């Protein structure tokens, strides 16, 4: 390989990022305002950061769980209470995951597959949550990832690129990803044929940059253009209306969620002088949360502002229901989701391992200066 080959791969990656900037942050996707372009470029940098950490500075022969989000790393609809990690896998190898369940209310491991390295949107190969593996008296656990299906273990699939995603859900009075000292005790080890990933060679760098590019493409250019695809039935495209929650079903070309989740989400459009009042009930579940996203599926600030509310953060009404307000400014109540001034965004509910009835939330748009009057009239 010539000495120009590494430069070609490196420069091609940056040319690709320019293409994403041009084609994804485009008028065709209704990205026209300077603020929206800047916010989209910031999100793209987050994808670059995650792509490099997961696919470039990682190796299936000596994998590690790279963080997919943090208090400052946001993309793809990250959950504010659930630190999530990803490690690449290779079907030629066997692996063991070792960890410890601490204050988590839920832990799961999901093996995903894709059409090529860096893609994980082709569907779920297998999954396990904390009710399906054993822990000792201290919360320690061990899970094997085999080449073929075996009872009580995870597995890969021959001939397909794959990765494993670890999800840890917390339900504290402080949003989990806003707790600097929060740690998830988790590790992964390849049990056979372990190579040494460094020093990196030109071909390896080229392949890793390609995987990062595939990953970023899946989160940007491969997303349908407006109007091209029907959203799932649990997502309302009618502004300021929420559907009845539904359990997630992995599907071809879009099965990248957590299989134990129930979702309820919808588009929010609010003028500068408007607010949205949402009333509903938490289902019987292991975990419940609602948050506000910007148009790029990034949570608004949950470190210093009110971007997320879980069941331990939400003040409930006397009858057990909840009422919260989505608004651009502080309405003076604790149950507030801050839009940070975004006229357009999304409300997103997550419920884990639901049982029983799922209730459709009620939504009402009001003038901001009428909030106190309207909230006082709601039977709470």
């Amino acid at each position: 390989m010539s000495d120009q080959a590494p430069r070609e791969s490196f420069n091609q990656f940056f040319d690709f990022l320019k293409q994403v900037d041009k084609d994804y942050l485009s008028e065709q996707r209704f990205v026209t305002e300077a603020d929206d372009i800047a916010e989209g470029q910031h999100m793209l940098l987050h994808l670059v950061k995650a792509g490099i950490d997961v696919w470039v500075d990682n190796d299936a022969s000596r994998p590690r769980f790279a963080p997919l989000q943090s208090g400052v790393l946001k993309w793809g609809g990250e959950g504010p209470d659930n630190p999530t990690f990803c490690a690449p896998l290779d079907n030629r190898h066997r692996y063991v995951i070792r960890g410890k369940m601490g204050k988590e209310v839920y832990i799961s491991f999901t093996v995903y597959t894709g059409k090529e390295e860096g893609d994980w949107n082709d569907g779920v190969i297998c999954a396990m949550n904390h009710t399906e593996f054993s822990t000792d008296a201290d919360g320690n656990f061990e899970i094997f990832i085999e080449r073929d299906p075996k009872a009580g273990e995870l597995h890969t699939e021959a001939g397909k690129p794959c990765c494993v995603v670890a999800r840890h859900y917390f339900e504290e009075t402080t949003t989990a990803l806003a707790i600097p000292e929060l740690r998830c005790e988790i590790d992964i080890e390849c049990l056979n044929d372990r190579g040494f990933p460094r020093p990196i060679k030109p071909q390896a760098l080229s392949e890793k940059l390609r995987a990062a590019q595939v990953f970023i493409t899946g989160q940007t250019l491969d997303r349908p253009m407006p109007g091209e695809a029907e959203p799932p039935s649990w997502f309302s495209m009618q502004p300021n209306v929420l559907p009845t929650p539904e359990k997630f079903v992995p599907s071809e070309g879009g099965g990248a969620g957590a299989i134990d989740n129930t979702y309820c989400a919808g588009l929010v459009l609010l003028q500068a002088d408007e607010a949205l009042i949402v009333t509903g009930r938490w289902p019987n579940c292991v975990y419940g949360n609602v948050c506000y996203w910007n148009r790029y599926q990034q949570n608004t600030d949950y470190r210093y502002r009110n971007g997320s509310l879980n069941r331990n953060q939400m003040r409930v009404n006397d009858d057990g229901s909840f009422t919260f307000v989505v608004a651009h400014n502080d309405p003076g109540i604790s149950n507030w989701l801050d839009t940070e001034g975004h006229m357009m965004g999304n409300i997103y509910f997550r419920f884990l391992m639901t049982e029983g009835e799922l209730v459709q939330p009620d939504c009402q748009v009001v003038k901001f200066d009428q909030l106190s009057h309207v909230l006082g009239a709601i039977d709470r």
Side-chain angles (χ1 to χ4, degrees), residues 223-266:
R223 291 193 176 274
M225 296 291 287
E228 279 187 353
E230 285 292 324
S233 53
W234 49 261
F235 189 99
S236 172
M237 290 301 294
Q238 181 180 349
N240 309 321
V241 173
L242 288 169
T244 300
E246 293 183 16
K247 293 185 178 181
F248 172 71
V249 178
S251 59
E252 171 71 21
I259 65 171
D260 293 314
N261 258 325
T262 293
Y263 295 124
C264 173

Side-chain angles (χ1 to χ4, degrees), residues 46-59:
H46 287 208
L47 287 175
V48 172
K49 182 177 181 180
I52 290 174
D53 209 10
V54 174
W55 304 109
V56 178
D57 290 336
N58 217 339
D59 195 284

